[in-house]
Amino acid sequence: KAGVTQTPRYLIKTRGQQVTLSCSPISGHRSVSWYQQTPGQGLQFLFEYFSETQRNKGNFPGRFSGRQFSNSRSEMNVSTLELGDSALYLCASSIDSYNEQFFGPGTRLTVL
Amino acid sequence: DQQVKQNSPSLSVQEGRISILNCDYTNSMFDYFLWYKKYPAEGPTFLISISSIKDKNEDGRFTVFLNKSAKHLSLHIVPSQPGDSAVYFCAARDNNDMRFGAGTRLTVKP
């Protein structure tokens, strides 16, 4: 069974630009969650999608948004990038919210 | 606000001994707790979880203990192996949110 895949793996952007990250969950998984990992803040929950609906949302500004498609693939968008958005963005999929999550390798975003 | 805390940033144990990783939380609404292991340059890997209706869950060498009155959970690894060397995150969730601790770096020495 293929694992969670994330594209791209690395990304360099400049302040003010916007970025879209993609996540393909494990086949059969309907829940996709996004996390931001930084050295200072550790792992922080961004949001969770289930069956194309945002189910939960962490404490991030509206510049961070996402969506989920009918095939459970998910995208995360960050607009008006700031230097502090530089981080590793992880996607995790699970059958449902309270099942174990399987993480992808992450997308490392660098904002210059 | 740090609702989930791992107060030990690092832990070093000898191979074959027990590793005990601790985690404290403040939100009494958390009802599900998880431990993840993370190697460098990889995403976290789920290890073990526990529901708030239980106080212990065991899976092979890994056991998680939950003390709800103290809002404390711990992960026991016994016997510890060098391949267990990684960063361990505890996580807690309720209906709306999932919070992670800052992680504890475990080093198991041969």
Side-chain angles (χ1 to χ4, degrees):
Chain A
K1 203 178 210 183
V4 178
T5 57
Q6 291 186 246
T7 55
R9 292 293 310 276
Y10 302 91
L11 204 50
I12 298 176
K13 292 283 188 178
T14 56
R15 281 181 296 174
Q17 286 187 307
Q18 69 94 28
V19 66
T20 299
L21 312 180
S22 181
C23 172
S24 293
I26 291 172
S27 177
H29 287 192
R30 297 166 66 188
S31 170
V32 174
S33 298
W34 287 89
Y35 300 87
Q36 181 195 66
Q37 184 179 22
T38 59
Q41 299 294 323
L43 267 172
Q44 295 185 92
F45 171 71
L46 279 155
F47 29 65
E48 178 195 2
Y49 285 87
F50 183 85
S51 293
E52 301 178 66
T53 302
Q54 188 179 86
R55 180 178 273 186
N56 296 305
K57 190 176 190 305
N59 189 25
F60 276 81
R63 299 186 297 108
F64 292 81
S65 62
R67 59 178 176 168
Q68 187 179 31
F69 302 94
S70 58
N71 62 357
S72 293
R73 190 177 69 85
S74 176
E75 288 182 347
M76 189 192 93
N77 187 75
V78 188
S79 62
T80 320
L81 283 166
E82 301 176 359
L83 295 179
D85 297 333
S86 294
L88 179 68
Y89 290 88
L90 292 161
C91 158
S93 78
S94 60
I95 294 172
D96 200 343
S97 299
Y98 279 80
N99 294 97
E100 62 178 287
Q101 292 184 319
F102 296 84
F103 281 79
T107 295
R108 182 160 298 280
L109 171 65
T110 303
V111 182
L112 303 176
Chain B
D1 64 342
Q2 277 192 294
Q3 295 191 25
V4 178
K5 291 184 183 180
Q6 292 176 257
N7 291 319
S8 298
S10 63
L11 175 68
S12 181
V13 300
Q14 207 67 35
E15 181 179 6
R17 299 290 187 101
I18 185 171
S19 296
I20 300 177
L21 298 115
N22 293 304
C23 180
D24 297 292
Y25 61 96
T26 57
N27 187 347
S28 58
M29 298 302 292
F30 289 141
D31 60 1
Y32 195 68
F33 305 88
L34 310 94
W35 283 95
Y36 291 86
K37 178 170 72 173
K38 187 179 185 303
Y39 294 116
E42 294 182 13
T45 303
F46 170 79
L47 265 178
I48 192 169
S49 63
I50 188 167
S51 163
S52 60
I53 63 173
K54 294 186 175 182
D55 54 18
K56 176 183 175 182
N57 189 24
E58 195 171 351
D59 184 3
R61 297 186 297 114
F62 302 92
T63 303
V64 57
F65 295 93
L66 175 63
N67 183 334
K68 281 185 294 182
S69 60
K71 294 191 178 69
H72 176 84
L73 68 154
S74 60
L75 174 67
H76 293 210
I77 307 173
V78 56
S80 301
Q81 299 172 355
D84 295 330
S85 297
V87 177
Y88 289 78
F89 292 95
C90 70
R93 72 176 302 156
D94 59 16
N95 282 335
N96 299 312
D97 200 1
M98 184 164 180
R99 299 289 181 118
F100 285 81
T104 297
R105 180 175 298 280
L106 173 66
T107 303
V108 180
K109 298 178 180 177

